[in-house]
Amino acid sequence: MSSSPSPVLHVTRGGRPPDPDRETFVLVHGFGASSFTWRHWIPELERRGHVVRLDLLGCGASPAPSMGPYDPEGQAGLILERMRSLGLTEHRVTLVGHSLGGGISLYAALELERAGTPLHRLAVVAGAAYPQPLPPFVTLARRPTLARAAFEALPASLLVQQVLRSIVFDPSVVTDSLVEGYAGPLDRPGASRALLETARRIEPPDLPALTARYPTLATPTFLLWGRHDRVVPPWVGQRLAHALPRARLQLLDRCGHLPQDERPSASLAALASFLDD
C-alpha cells in the first residue's frame, strides 16, 4: 500500500524572477505565526532577489491535517520538499528562520549540506537550537485540555495580544494591526489543533545528536538576537556562534523575541550588512 503524499506548504513569492545566478531568500516564521512576520523586510529582500515566504504546516495558509509531521524534523523535511519542487536547491539560497523556524532552518541547512547541495547562506533570528526551559505560552499549549478551553473561551486576538506583550521588550509595539496579523490565521479550521500538536512535539527527541552536528555546518550564518529575549535567551545565540564555524552574532538593544517587529529598521540593517559581506 502506498503512503499518503506529504502535505504541500503554502508559499508566497515575490521580488525578482527566480534565477540560479541570483540570490533567493526562503523565509520561515516561528511558532504559531505565519509569513506575515516578515512584512517589514520584504521590500528590501525583493529588491535584492527572489523571495519565497513559507507557511509552516498548520500555520498561515498551509494545510492543517489532523495527522501531520508537526515536529521540527518533519517540518524541515516539508520545507526541503517544497524547495525541491520549486527548483530552488540549485539556486543561491539564503534560508532565514525565526524562533522555531530558526531551529527548523538549522536542521534543513544540515540536511542540505549532507546531501551535497549546501545553502548559500543561513540567517537565524532568535532561533531555538539547544535544550532550554519552554516559554509559558508553549507550556500552556502542551496541556491540551487547558489550551482547548482557553481557545473556546477567549478570542484568538486576546490570546495573541497577551502572548505578544509578554515576549517583546516594549509592549507598546503591540498594536491592534500587529495582533490582527498574527491572530487572523488562527481562526482557520484546524489551526488551533495544529498549534497544540506543534507544541506537543516542539522538542526534538534527538536534540543532543542534532546539536553535535552544528560544528559541521560550513554555511556562512548570521545570528540575530534581541538582547532582552525571554523566549529564546541570548545565551542560545552566543552558544551557536561558538559552535558554528562561520557564524556572526549581533545583539539588538531594547529588543525582545521579535526583532523584525520590534526594531524593523535596525534588524533589517543588520541583516543587510551580513548580506553585503
Side-chain angles (χ1 to χ4, degrees), residues 257-277:
H257 189 58
L258 297 175
Q260 66 276 24
D261 284 306
E262 298 178 65
R263 301 200 59 193
S265 298
S267 60
L268 180 58
L271 176 65
S273 177
F274 168 73
L275 298 176
D276 290 338
D277 284 346

Side-chain angles (χ1 to χ4, degrees), residues 158-204:
L158 181 59
L159 294 171
V160 167
Q161 180 189 58
Q162 295 305 310
V163 169
L164 291 175
R165 290 176 64 87
S166 73
I167 67 177
V168 298
F169 174 75
D170 179 3
S172 69
V173 305
V174 181
T175 61
D176 290 344
S177 62
L178 184 69
V179 171
E180 181 181 350
Y182 277 100
L186 293 177
D187 288 328
R188 290 192 311 136
S192 60
R193 183 197 64 244
L195 185 70
L196 304 188
E197 279 297 307
T198 301
R200 189 170 67 86
R201 306 182 191 187
I202 203 166
E203 296 178 290

